[in-house]
Amino acid sequence: MTTTIRLQREDFDATAEAARLSRGRTDIGAVVTFTGICRGHEGGHAVSAMTLEHYPGMAEDEIARHVAEAKRRWPLLGVTVIHRYGRMQPGDNIVLVVTASAHRQAAFAAADFLMDYLKTRAPFWKLEERPDGTNWVEAKDSDDSAAARWRKDEAAE
Amino acid sequence: MSVKVLYFAWVRERVGKAEEEIAPPAHVATVADLIAWLAGRGEEYAHAFEKPKVIRAAIDRVHVKPEAAISGAREIAFFPPMTGG
């Protein structure tokens, strides 16, 4: 099982990372690639740029904890998570999650799970630049609800 | 006990610094106690911690609840709810 977790300022190439995960493997039947991208507007106002602050050390540790949890829940054959930090503009990549498994259900579910947890538990904070000044993005209840459903799913198993 | 405290995002902006070493008195036993003690250190701290329920904490890079004990901690971080991903 190949695991890659990286935090970086630089952009990433989603296609290359997905190819790297499955190259030479004959056991992988499904690869799911999710890319999170910076949008140019939020809640009715324009966003000209966004800066991602993070907690070095804890961000990597927290992502690793959730990748380990995903491996425990699903039969994964590979996982890559790349999260950028620093200043980004609309259209720029922010985060990449690639999951690989023999069959698609595990790859889809694990990618969904990892994104829900990245949104709520990974120590990053977004500072938006708007026409009228800067604004710290507030955490969304919908993200907390999305993450909570994975705990309910596990309780039901 | 001396411990390094880190602040992130608007908590950092309001306190006015990213990190500091502190030595809280012995009666400050939990994260919640520490937030209350920090809030009393000055206006900027009071402003940062005016809504304690919004503040999240980590001890030695692991998320903890307000009831968590701080004894033995090397590093305690305070931050708003996260917005990564």
Side-chain angles (χ1 to χ4, degrees), chain A residues 53-55 57-58 62 65 83 119-122 124-126 136-137 139, chain B residues 6 8-10 12-13 58 61-63 75 77 79-85:
Chain A
E53 181 173 338
H54 74 295
Y55 182 169
M58 185 177 174
E62 195 64 16
R65 279 190 277 271
H83 202 306
K119 285 280 185 186
T120 56
R121 302 277 295 183
F124 292 87
W125 300 273
K126 290 173 177 161
W136 288 100
V137 174
Chain B
L6 306 178
F8 291 94
W10 56 252
R12 173 181 52 75
E13 286 181 344
R61 303 179 177 181
V62 175
H63 288 294
E75 180 172 299
F79 40 83
M82 292 141 282
T83 53

PDB file of all heavy atoms in Angstrom, chain A residues 53-55 57-58 62 65 83 119-122 124-126 136-137 139, chain B residues 6 8-10 12-13 58 61-63 75 77 79-85:
ATOM      1  N   GLU A  53      -3.132  29.444   5.882  1.00  0.00           N
ATOM      2  CA  GLU A  53      -2.191  29.312   6.996  1.00  0.00           C
ATOM      3  C   GLU A  53      -2.306  27.867   7.485  1.00  0.00           C
ATOM      4  O   GLU A  53      -3.374  27.261   7.359  1.00  0.00           O
ATOM      5  CB  GLU A  53      -2.612  30.274   8.103  1.00  0.00           C
ATOM      6  CG  GLU A  53      -1.710  30.278   9.321  1.00  0.00           C
ATOM      7  CD  GLU A  53      -2.099  31.381  10.317  1.00  0.00           C
ATOM      8  OE1 GLU A  53      -2.757  32.355   9.886  1.00  0.00           O
ATOM      9  OE2 GLU A  53      -1.758  31.253  11.511  1.00  0.00           O
ATOM     10  N   HIS A  54      -1.191  27.310   8.019  1.00  0.00           N
ATOM     11  CA  HIS A  54      -1.299  25.954   8.554  1.00  0.00           C
ATOM     12  C   HIS A  54      -0.404  25.789   9.777  1.00  0.00           C
ATOM     13  O   HIS A  54       0.421  26.656  10.070  1.00  0.00           O
ATOM     14  CB  HIS A  54      -0.938  24.919   7.483  1.00  0.00           C
ATOM     15  CG  HIS A  54       0.538  24.809   7.166  1.00  0.00           C
ATOM     16  ND1 HIS A  54       1.259  25.836   6.601  1.00  0.00           N
ATOM     17  CD2 HIS A  54       1.420  23.804   7.349  1.00  0.00           C
ATOM     18  CE1 HIS A  54       2.519  25.458   6.431  1.00  0.00           C
ATOM     19  NE2 HIS A  54       2.658  24.226   6.882  1.00  0.00           N
ATOM     20  N   TYR A  55      -0.585  24.705  10.496  1.00  0.00           N
ATOM     21  CA  TYR A  55       0.181  24.393  11.691  1.00  0.00           C
ATOM     22  C   TYR A  55       1.195  23.329  11.265  1.00  0.00           C
ATOM     23  O   TYR A  55       0.862  22.136  11.161  1.00  0.00           O
ATOM     24  CB  TYR A  55      -0.782  23.861  12.753  1.00  0.00           C
ATOM     25  CG  TYR A  55      -0.228  23.515  14.120  1.00  0.00           C
ATOM     26  CD1 TYR A  55      -1.120  23.249  15.156  1.00  0.00           C
ATOM     27  CD2 TYR A  55       1.134  23.428  14.396  1.00  0.00           C
ATOM     28  CE1 TYR A  55      -0.668  22.920  16.437  1.00  0.00           C
ATOM     29  CE2 TYR A  55       1.595  23.090  15.666  1.00  0.00           C
ATOM     30  CZ  TYR A  55       0.683  22.843  16.684  1.00  0.00           C
ATOM     31  OH  TYR A  55       1.114  22.506  17.943  1.00  0.00           O
ATOM     32  N   GLY A  57       3.762  20.459  11.071  1.00  0.00           N
ATOM     33  CA  GLY A  57       3.920  19.344  12.010  1.00  0.00           C
ATOM     34  C   GLY A  57       2.566  18.726  12.303  1.00  0.00           C
ATOM     35  O   GLY A  57       2.324  17.552  12.018  1.00  0.00           O
ATOM     36  N   MET A  58       1.631  19.513  12.840  1.00  0.00           N
ATOM     37  CA  MET A  58       0.330  18.937  13.161  1.00  0.00           C
ATOM     38  C   MET A  58      -0.471  18.636  11.892  1.00  0.00           C
ATOM     39  O   MET A  58      -1.200  17.642  11.831  1.00  0.00           O
ATOM     40  CB  MET A  58      -0.493  19.849  14.068  1.00  0.00           C
ATOM     41  CG  MET A  58      -1.788  19.163  14.492  1.00  0.00           C
ATOM     42  SD  MET A  58      -2.791  20.120  15.631  1.00  0.00           S
ATOM     43  CE  MET A  58      -4.237  19.054  15.707  1.00  0.00           C
ATOM     44  N   GLU A  62      -1.970  15.047  11.341  1.00  0.00           N
ATOM     45  CA  GLU A  62      -3.426  14.878  11.323  1.00  0.00           C
ATOM     46  C   GLU A  62      -3.864  14.209  10.024  1.00  0.00           C
ATOM     47  O   GLU A  62      -4.724  13.325  10.034  1.00  0.00           O
ATOM     48  CB  GLU A  62      -4.089  16.247  11.509  1.00  0.00           C
ATOM     49  CG  GLU A  62      -5.540  16.217  11.865  1.00  0.00           C
ATOM     50  CD  GLU A  62      -5.858  15.588  13.215  1.00  0.00           C
ATOM     51  OE1 GLU A  62      -4.958  15.410  14.065  1.00  0.00           O
ATOM     52  OE2 GLU A  62      -7.036  15.255  13.409  1.00  0.00           O
ATOM     53  N   ARG A  65      -3.042  10.585  10.302  1.00  0.00           N
ATOM     54  CA  ARG A  65      -3.995   9.868  11.157  1.00  0.00           C
ATOM     55  C   ARG A  65      -5.246   9.497  10.386  1.00  0.00           C
ATOM     56  O   ARG A  65      -5.782   8.399  10.545  1.00  0.00           O
ATOM     57  CB  ARG A  65      -4.382  10.714  12.383  1.00  0.00           C
ATOM     58  CG  ARG A  65      -3.364  10.661  13.504  1.00  0.00           C
ATOM     59  CD  ARG A  65      -3.902  11.310  14.770  1.00  0.00           C
ATOM     60  NE  ARG A  65      -3.742  12.753  14.774  1.00  0.00           N
ATOM     61  CZ  ARG A  65      -2.661  13.393  15.234  1.00  0.00           C
ATOM     62  NH1 ARG A  65      -1.638  12.716  15.708  1.00  0.00           N
ATOM     63  NH2 ARG A  65      -2.608  14.703  15.203  1.00  0.00           N
ATOM     64  N   HIS A  83      -1.617  18.793   0.088  1.00  0.00           N
ATOM     65  CA  HIS A  83      -2.340  20.005   0.494  1.00  0.00           C
ATOM     66  C   HIS A  83      -1.380  21.189   0.378  1.00  0.00           C
ATOM     67  O   HIS A  83      -0.286  21.156   0.935  1.00  0.00           O
ATOM     68  CB  HIS A  83      -2.836  19.864   1.928  1.00  0.00           C
ATOM     69  CG  HIS A  83      -3.983  20.770   2.254  1.00  0.00           C
ATOM     70  ND1 HIS A  83      -3.958  22.137   2.075  1.00  0.00           N
ATOM     71  CD2 HIS A  83      -5.212  20.486   2.766  1.00  0.00           C
ATOM     72  CE1 HIS A  83      -5.111  22.649   2.448  1.00  0.00           C
ATOM     73  NE2 HIS A  83      -5.897  21.677   2.863  1.00  0.00           N
ATOM     74  N   LYS A 119     -11.602  18.847   5.661  1.00  0.00           N
ATOM     75  CA  LYS A 119     -12.358  20.091   5.817  1.00  0.00           C
ATOM     76  C   LYS A 119     -12.560  20.474   7.283  1.00  0.00           C
ATOM     77  O   LYS A 119     -12.739  21.635   7.602  1.00  0.00           O
ATOM     78  CB  LYS A 119     -13.749  19.940   5.156  1.00  0.00           C
ATOM     79  CG  LYS A 119     -13.724  19.985   3.646  1.00  0.00           C
ATOM     80  CD  LYS A 119     -13.636  21.405   3.184  1.00  0.00           C
ATOM     81  CE  LYS A 119     -13.729  21.529   1.689  1.00  0.00           C
ATOM     82  NZ  LYS A 119     -13.499  22.926   1.270  1.00  0.00           N
ATOM     83  N   THR A 120     -12.575  19.479   8.183  1.00  0.00           N
ATOM     84  CA  THR A 120     -12.942  19.775   9.569  1.00  0.00           C
ATOM     85  C   THR A 120     -11.844  19.554  10.600  1.00  0.00           C
ATOM     86  O   THR A 120     -11.906  20.140  11.675  1.00  0.00           O
ATOM     87  CB  THR A 120     -14.152  18.915   9.982  1.00  0.00           C
ATOM     88  OG1 THR A 120     -13.826  17.537   9.772  1.00  0.00           O
ATOM     89  CG2 THR A 120     -15.384  19.261   9.177  1.00  0.00           C
ATOM     90  N   ARG A 121     -10.864  18.714  10.310  1.00  0.00           N
ATOM     91  CA  ARG A 121      -9.886  18.361  11.340  1.00  0.00           C
ATOM     92  C   ARG A 121      -8.448  18.746  11.013  1.00  0.00           C
ATOM     93  O   ARG A 121      -7.596  18.750  11.887  1.00  0.00           O
ATOM     94  CB  ARG A 121      -9.917  16.830  11.580  1.00  0.00           C
ATOM     95  CG  ARG A 121     -11.250  16.285  12.000  1.00  0.00           C
ATOM     96  CD  ARG A 121     -11.509  16.411  13.457  1.00  0.00           C
ATOM     97  NE  ARG A 121     -10.586  15.597  14.252  1.00  0.00           N
ATOM     98  CZ  ARG A 121     -10.638  15.495  15.584  1.00  0.00           C
ATOM     99  NH1 ARG A 121     -11.541  16.166  16.252  1.00  0.00           N
ATOM    100  NH2 ARG A 121      -9.770  14.743  16.220  1.00  0.00           N
ATOM    101  N   ALA A 122      -8.167  19.022   9.731  1.00  0.00           N
ATOM    102  CA  ALA A 122      -6.780  19.350   9.367  1.00  0.00           C
ATOM    103  C   ALA A 122      -6.526  20.817   9.702  1.00  0.00           C
ATOM    104  O   ALA A 122      -7.305  21.686   9.303  1.00  0.00           O
ATOM    105  CB  ALA A 122      -6.556  19.085   7.879  1.00  0.00           C
ATOM    106  N   PHE A 124      -5.672  23.929   9.002  1.00  0.00           N
ATOM    107  CA  PHE A 124      -5.451  24.959   7.989  1.00  0.00           C
ATOM    108  C   PHE A 124      -6.516  26.024   8.202  1.00  0.00           C
ATOM    109  O   PHE A 124      -7.625  25.714   8.639  1.00  0.00           O
ATOM    110  CB  PHE A 124      -5.645  24.400   6.573  1.00  0.00           C
ATOM    111  CG  PHE A 124      -4.610  23.400   6.143  1.00  0.00           C
ATOM    112  CD1 PHE A 124      -4.764  22.051   6.443  1.00  0.00           C
ATOM    113  CD2 PHE A 124      -3.495  23.797   5.424  1.00  0.00           C
ATOM    114  CE1 PHE A 124      -3.819  21.117   6.042  1.00  0.00           C
ATOM    115  CE2 PHE A 124      -2.543  22.866   5.006  1.00  0.00           C
ATOM    116  CZ  PHE A 124      -2.711  21.526   5.320  1.00  0.00           C
ATOM    117  N   TRP A 125      -6.192  27.284   7.849  1.00  0.00           N
ATOM    118  CA  TRP A 125      -7.161  28.364   7.971  1.00  0.00           C
ATOM    119  C   TRP A 125      -7.036  29.264   6.754  1.00  0.00           C
ATOM    120  O   TRP A 125      -5.936  29.616   6.325  1.00  0.00           O
ATOM    121  CB  TRP A 125      -6.912  29.191   9.249  1.00  0.00           C
ATOM    122  CG  TRP A 125      -7.019  28.324  10.455  1.00  0.00           C
ATOM    123  CD1 TRP A 125      -8.143  28.021  11.162  1.00  0.00           C
ATOM    124  CD2 TRP A 125      -5.952  27.586  11.066  1.00  0.00           C
ATOM    125  NE1 TRP A 125      -7.843  27.138  12.170  1.00  0.00           N
ATOM    126  CE2 TRP A 125      -6.516  26.854  12.137  1.00  0.00           C
ATOM    127  CE3 TRP A 125      -4.576  27.465  10.805  1.00  0.00           C
ATOM    128  CZ2 TRP A 125      -5.769  26.018  12.951  1.00  0.00           C
ATOM    129  CZ3 TRP A 125      -3.816  26.626  11.605  1.00  0.00           C
ATOM    130  CH2 TRP A 125      -4.411  25.913  12.671  1.00  0.00           C
ATOM    131  N   LYS A 126      -8.193  29.626   6.172  1.00  0.00           N
ATOM    132  CA  LYS A 126      -8.199  30.400   4.928  1.00  0.00           C
ATOM    133  C   LYS A 126      -8.503  31.860   5.202  1.00  0.00           C
ATOM    134  O   LYS A 126      -9.493  32.185   5.866  1.00  0.00           O
ATOM    135  CB  LYS A 126      -9.274  29.842   3.980  1.00  0.00           C
ATOM    136  CG  LYS A 126      -8.911  28.469   3.424  1.00  0.00           C
ATOM    137  CD  LYS A 126     -10.054  27.870   2.622  1.00  0.00           C
ATOM    138  CE  LYS A 126      -9.629  26.537   2.020  1.00  0.00           C
ATOM    139  NZ  LYS A 126     -10.782  25.719   1.639  1.00  0.00           N
ATOM    140  N   TRP A 136     -11.358  36.143   7.479  1.00  0.00           N
ATOM    141  CA  TRP A 136     -11.097  34.747   7.788  1.00  0.00           C
ATOM    142  C   TRP A 136     -12.358  33.948   7.489  1.00  0.00           C
ATOM    143  O   TRP A 136     -13.429  34.237   8.000  1.00  0.00           O
ATOM    144  CB  TRP A 136     -10.714  34.578   9.267  1.00  0.00           C
ATOM    145  CG  TRP A 136      -9.351  35.101   9.582  1.00  0.00           C
ATOM    146  CD1 TRP A 136      -9.050  36.297  10.155  1.00  0.00           C
ATOM    147  CD2 TRP A 136      -8.100  34.459   9.309  1.00  0.00           C
ATOM    148  NE1 TRP A 136      -7.688  36.441  10.256  1.00  0.00           N
ATOM    149  CE2 TRP A 136      -7.070  35.332   9.754  1.00  0.00           C
ATOM    150  CE3 TRP A 136      -7.735  33.223   8.743  1.00  0.00           C
ATOM    151  CZ2 TRP A 136      -5.714  35.017   9.639  1.00  0.00           C
ATOM    152  CZ3 TRP A 136      -6.384  32.909   8.640  1.00  0.00           C
ATOM    153  CH2 TRP A 136      -5.401  33.800   9.083  1.00  0.00           C
ATOM    154  N   VAL A 137     -12.221  32.914   6.653  1.00  0.00           N
ATOM    155  CA  VAL A 137     -13.357  32.069   6.303  1.00  0.00           C
ATOM    156  C   VAL A 137     -13.833  31.356   7.559  1.00  0.00           C
ATOM    157  O   VAL A 137     -13.026  30.904   8.376  1.00  0.00           O
ATOM    158  CB  VAL A 137     -12.954  31.050   5.217  1.00  0.00           C
ATOM    159  CG1 VAL A 137     -14.086  30.077   4.945  1.00  0.00           C
ATOM    160  CG2 VAL A 137     -12.544  31.774   3.947  1.00  0.00           C
ATOM    161  N   ALA A 139     -15.749  28.236   9.488  1.00  0.00           N
ATOM    162  CA  ALA A 139     -16.048  26.817   9.282  1.00  0.00           C
ATOM    163  C   ALA A 139     -17.542  26.651   9.056  1.00  0.00           C
ATOM    164  O   ALA A 139     -18.346  27.372   9.632  1.00  0.00           O
ATOM    165  CB  ALA A 139     -15.600  26.023  10.504  1.00  0.00           C
TER     166      ALA A 139
ATOM    167  N   LEU B   6       1.148  28.226  21.019  1.00  0.00           N
ATOM    168  CA  LEU B   6       1.090  28.717  19.638  1.00  0.00           C
ATOM    169  C   LEU B   6      -0.309  29.251  19.352  1.00  0.00           C
ATOM    170  O   LEU B   6      -1.300  28.720  19.861  1.00  0.00           O
ATOM    171  CB  LEU B   6       1.376  27.576  18.649  1.00  0.00           C
ATOM    172  CG  LEU B   6       2.652  26.774  18.824  1.00  0.00           C
ATOM    173  CD1 LEU B   6       2.711  25.665  17.769  1.00  0.00           C
ATOM    174  CD2 LEU B   6       3.866  27.662  18.685  1.00  0.00           C
ATOM    175  N   PHE B   8      -2.936  30.620  16.093  1.00  0.00           N
ATOM    176  CA  PHE B   8      -3.094  30.621  14.643  1.00  0.00           C
ATOM    177  C   PHE B   8      -4.287  31.473  14.225  1.00  0.00           C
ATOM    178  O   PHE B   8      -5.220  31.698  14.991  1.00  0.00           O
ATOM    179  CB  PHE B   8      -3.279  29.189  14.124  1.00  0.00           C
ATOM    180  CG  PHE B   8      -2.034  28.357  14.262  1.00  0.00           C
ATOM    181  CD1 PHE B   8      -1.828  27.559  15.377  1.00  0.00           C
ATOM    182  CD2 PHE B   8      -1.036  28.395  13.287  1.00  0.00           C
ATOM    183  CE1 PHE B   8      -0.661  26.814  15.523  1.00  0.00           C
ATOM    184  CE2 PHE B   8       0.131  27.657  13.420  1.00  0.00           C
ATOM    185  CZ  PHE B   8       0.319  26.865  14.547  1.00  0.00           C
ATOM    186  N   ALA B   9      -4.259  31.900  12.979  1.00  0.00           N
ATOM    187  CA  ALA B   9      -5.354  32.634  12.314  1.00  0.00           C
ATOM    188  C   ALA B   9      -5.745  33.868  13.141  1.00  0.00           C
ATOM    189  O   ALA B   9      -4.880  34.576  13.638  1.00  0.00           O
ATOM    190  CB  ALA B   9      -6.519  31.690  12.040  1.00  0.00           C
ATOM    191  N   TRP B  10      -7.056  34.112  13.319  1.00  0.00           N
ATOM    192  CA  TRP B  10      -7.426  35.369  13.969  1.00  0.00           C
ATOM    193  C   TRP B  10      -7.103  35.375  15.458  1.00  0.00           C
ATOM    194  O   TRP B  10      -7.012  36.441  16.076  1.00  0.00           O
ATOM    195  CB  TRP B  10      -8.879  35.748  13.697  1.00  0.00           C
ATOM    196  CG  TRP B  10      -9.970  34.780  14.049  1.00  0.00           C
ATOM    197  CD1 TRP B  10     -10.721  34.065  13.170  1.00  0.00           C
ATOM    198  CD2 TRP B  10     -10.480  34.480  15.359  1.00  0.00           C
ATOM    199  NE1 TRP B  10     -11.648  33.326  13.852  1.00  0.00           N
ATOM    200  CE2 TRP B  10     -11.530  33.555  15.187  1.00  0.00           C
ATOM    201  CE3 TRP B  10     -10.159  34.896  16.657  1.00  0.00           C
ATOM    202  CZ2 TRP B  10     -12.248  33.033  16.261  1.00  0.00           C
ATOM    203  CZ3 TRP B  10     -10.874  34.383  17.735  1.00  0.00           C
ATOM    204  CH2 TRP B  10     -11.904  33.450  17.520  1.00  0.00           C
ATOM    205  N   ARG B  12      -4.175  34.406  16.560  1.00  0.00           N
ATOM    206  CA  ARG B  12      -2.826  34.959  16.456  1.00  0.00           C
ATOM    207  C   ARG B  12      -2.877  36.465  16.222  1.00  0.00           C
ATOM    208  O   ARG B  12      -2.130  37.236  16.815  1.00  0.00           O
ATOM    209  CB  ARG B  12      -2.093  34.259  15.321  1.00  0.00           C
ATOM    210  CG  ARG B  12      -0.715  34.823  14.970  1.00  0.00           C
ATOM    211  CD  ARG B  12      -0.088  34.061  13.794  1.00  0.00           C
ATOM    212  NE  ARG B  12      -0.971  33.970  12.638  1.00  0.00           N
ATOM    213  CZ  ARG B  12      -1.232  34.948  11.799  1.00  0.00           C
ATOM    214  NH1 ARG B  12      -0.630  36.113  11.969  1.00  0.00           N
ATOM    215  NH2 ARG B  12      -2.062  34.785  10.777  1.00  0.00           N
ATOM    216  N   GLU B  13      -3.763  36.896  15.319  1.00  0.00           N
ATOM    217  CA  GLU B  13      -3.849  38.334  15.012  1.00  0.00           C
ATOM    218  C   GLU B  13      -4.266  39.130  16.245  1.00  0.00           C
ATOM    219  O   GLU B  13      -3.710  40.197  16.513  1.00  0.00           O
ATOM    220  CB  GLU B  13      -4.852  38.575  13.884  1.00  0.00           C
ATOM    221  CG  GLU B  13      -4.330  38.166  12.520  1.00  0.00           C
ATOM    222  CD  GLU B  13      -5.330  38.436  11.405  1.00  0.00           C
ATOM    223  OE1 GLU B  13      -6.526  38.647  11.706  1.00  0.00           O
ATOM    224  OE2 GLU B  13      -4.913  38.437  10.233  1.00  0.00           O
ATOM    225  N   ALA B  58      -5.013  22.156  20.696  1.00  0.00           N
ATOM    226  CA  ALA B  58      -4.247  20.928  20.470  1.00  0.00           C
ATOM    227  C   ALA B  58      -3.118  20.902  21.483  1.00  0.00           C
ATOM    228  O   ALA B  58      -2.513  21.946  21.772  1.00  0.00           O
ATOM    229  CB  ALA B  58      -3.689  20.881  19.050  1.00  0.00           C
ATOM    230  N   ARG B  61       0.313  18.607  19.315  1.00  0.00           N
ATOM    231  CA  ARG B  61      -0.144  18.379  17.943  1.00  0.00           C
ATOM    232  C   ARG B  61      -1.269  17.366  17.810  1.00  0.00           C
ATOM    233  O   ARG B  61      -1.440  16.752  16.757  1.00  0.00           O
ATOM    234  CB  ARG B  61       1.030  17.998  17.040  1.00  0.00           C
ATOM    235  CG  ARG B  61       2.096  19.077  17.066  1.00  0.00           C
ATOM    236  CD  ARG B  61       3.284  18.766  16.235  1.00  0.00           C
ATOM    237  NE  ARG B  61       4.221  19.886  16.276  1.00  0.00           N
ATOM    238  CZ  ARG B  61       5.364  19.925  15.625  1.00  0.00           C
ATOM    239  NH1 ARG B  61       5.720  18.908  14.860  1.00  0.00           N
ATOM    240  NH2 ARG B  61       6.156  20.970  15.733  1.00  0.00           N
ATOM    241  N   VAL B  62      -2.054  17.209  18.892  1.00  0.00           N
ATOM    242  CA  VAL B  62      -3.222  16.330  18.841  1.00  0.00           C
ATOM    243  C   VAL B  62      -4.410  17.132  19.344  1.00  0.00           C
ATOM    244  O   VAL B  62      -4.304  17.813  20.373  1.00  0.00           O
ATOM    245  CB  VAL B  62      -3.017  15.084  19.739  1.00  0.00           C
ATOM    246  CG1 VAL B  62      -4.269  14.236  19.779  1.00  0.00           C
ATOM    247  CG2 VAL B  62      -1.821  14.276  19.263  1.00  0.00           C
ATOM    248  N   HIS B  63      -5.558  17.061  18.627  1.00  0.00           N
ATOM    249  CA  HIS B  63      -6.755  17.782  19.062  1.00  0.00           C
ATOM    250  C   HIS B  63      -7.152  17.330  20.454  1.00  0.00           C
ATOM    251  O   HIS B  63      -7.141  16.131  20.745  1.00  0.00           O
ATOM    252  CB  HIS B  63      -7.931  17.463  18.118  1.00  0.00           C
ATOM    253  CG  HIS B  63      -7.816  18.088  16.765  1.00  0.00           C
ATOM    254  ND1 HIS B  63      -7.853  19.445  16.572  1.00  0.00           N
ATOM    255  CD2 HIS B  63      -7.694  17.528  15.532  1.00  0.00           C
ATOM    256  CE1 HIS B  63      -7.747  19.696  15.266  1.00  0.00           C
ATOM    257  NE2 HIS B  63      -7.645  18.557  14.620  1.00  0.00           N
ATOM    258  N   GLU B  75       3.741  21.570  24.101  1.00  0.00           N
ATOM    259  CA  GLU B  75       3.290  22.578  23.139  1.00  0.00           C
ATOM    260  C   GLU B  75       1.759  22.579  23.134  1.00  0.00           C
ATOM    261  O   GLU B  75       1.141  21.533  22.987  1.00  0.00           O
ATOM    262  CB  GLU B  75       3.823  22.179  21.759  1.00  0.00           C
ATOM    263  CG  GLU B  75       3.488  23.084  20.610  1.00  0.00           C
ATOM    264  CD  GLU B  75       4.255  22.681  19.343  1.00  0.00           C
ATOM    265  OE1 GLU B  75       5.498  22.713  19.364  1.00  0.00           O
ATOM    266  OE2 GLU B  75       3.608  22.328  18.341  1.00  0.00           O
ATOM    267  N   ALA B  77      -1.569  24.577  21.358  1.00  0.00           N
ATOM    268  CA  ALA B  77      -1.946  25.505  20.293  1.00  0.00           C
ATOM    269  C   ALA B  77      -3.412  25.891  20.419  1.00  0.00           C
ATOM    270  O   ALA B  77      -4.254  25.053  20.786  1.00  0.00           O
ATOM    271  CB  ALA B  77      -1.697  24.870  18.932  1.00  0.00           C
ATOM    272  N   PHE B  79      -6.610  27.865  18.254  1.00  0.00           N
ATOM    273  CA  PHE B  79      -6.978  28.295  16.908  1.00  0.00           C
ATOM    274  C   PHE B  79      -8.482  28.248  16.720  1.00  0.00           C
ATOM    275  O   PHE B  79      -9.197  27.606  17.497  1.00  0.00           O
ATOM    276  CB  PHE B  79      -6.290  27.412  15.860  1.00  0.00           C
ATOM    277  CG  PHE B  79      -6.242  25.934  16.193  1.00  0.00           C
ATOM    278  CD1 PHE B  79      -7.338  25.114  15.923  1.00  0.00           C
ATOM    279  CD2 PHE B  79      -5.102  25.367  16.754  1.00  0.00           C
ATOM    280  CE1 PHE B  79      -7.302  23.749  16.222  1.00  0.00           C
ATOM    281  CE2 PHE B  79      -5.046  24.004  17.033  1.00  0.00           C
ATOM    282  CZ  PHE B  79      -6.153  23.193  16.773  1.00  0.00           C
ATOM    283  N   PRO B  80      -8.988  28.919  15.674  1.00  0.00           N
ATOM    284  CA  PRO B  80     -10.422  28.850  15.374  1.00  0.00           C
ATOM    285  C   PRO B  80     -10.749  27.520  14.696  1.00  0.00           C
ATOM    286  O   PRO B  80      -9.832  26.783  14.296  1.00  0.00           O
ATOM    287  CB  PRO B  80     -10.648  30.014  14.394  1.00  0.00           C
ATOM    288  CG  PRO B  80      -9.353  30.714  14.243  1.00  0.00           C
ATOM    289  CD  PRO B  80      -8.280  29.798  14.720  1.00  0.00           C
ATOM    290  N   PRO B  81     -12.053  27.232  14.520  1.00  0.00           N
ATOM    291  CA  PRO B  81     -12.427  26.036  13.751  1.00  0.00           C
ATOM    292  C   PRO B  81     -11.730  26.062  12.391  1.00  0.00           C
ATOM    293  O   PRO B  81     -11.555  27.121  11.788  1.00  0.00           O
ATOM    294  CB  PRO B  81     -13.948  26.172  13.618  1.00  0.00           C
ATOM    295  CG  PRO B  81     -14.348  26.937  14.826  1.00  0.00           C
ATOM    296  CD  PRO B  81     -13.231  27.920  15.055  1.00  0.00           C
ATOM    297  N   MET B  82     -11.332  24.886  11.916  1.00  0.00           N
ATOM    298  CA  MET B  82     -10.455  24.797  10.761  1.00  0.00           C
ATOM    299  C   MET B  82     -11.202  24.909   9.438  1.00  0.00           C
ATOM    300  O   MET B  82     -12.374  24.553   9.328  1.00  0.00           O
ATOM    301  CB  MET B  82      -9.684  23.467  10.819  1.00  0.00           C
ATOM    302  CG  MET B  82      -8.696  23.482  11.984  1.00  0.00           C
ATOM    303  SD  MET B  82      -8.583  21.900  12.835  1.00  0.00           S
ATOM    304  CE  MET B  82     -10.066  21.971  13.827  1.00  0.00           C
ATOM    305  N   THR B  83     -10.503  25.417   8.442  1.00  0.00           N
ATOM    306  CA  THR B  83     -11.112  25.588   7.120  1.00  0.00           C
ATOM    307  C   THR B  83     -10.144  25.140   6.035  1.00  0.00           C
ATOM    308  O   THR B  83      -9.849  25.860   5.086  1.00  0.00           O
ATOM    309  CB  THR B  83     -11.530  27.060   6.886  1.00  0.00           C
ATOM    310  OG1 THR B  83     -10.404  27.920   7.139  1.00  0.00           O
ATOM    311  CG2 THR B  83     -12.660  27.455   7.790  1.00  0.00           C
ATOM    312  N   GLY B  84      -9.625  23.934   6.194  1.00  0.00           N
ATOM    313  CA  GLY B  84      -8.723  23.389   5.188  1.00  0.00           C
ATOM    314  C   GLY B  84      -9.509  22.682   4.090  1.00  0.00           C
ATOM    315  O   GLY B  84     -10.735  22.759   4.028  1.00  0.00           O
ATOM    316  N   GLY B  85      -8.785  21.986   3.243  1.00  0.00           N
ATOM    317  CA  GLY B  85      -9.393  21.151   2.216  1.00  0.00           C
ATOM    318  C   GLY B  85      -9.840  21.900   0.978  1.00  0.00           C
ATOM    319  O   GLY B  85     -10.015  23.096   0.982  1.00  0.00           O
TER     320      GLY B  85
END
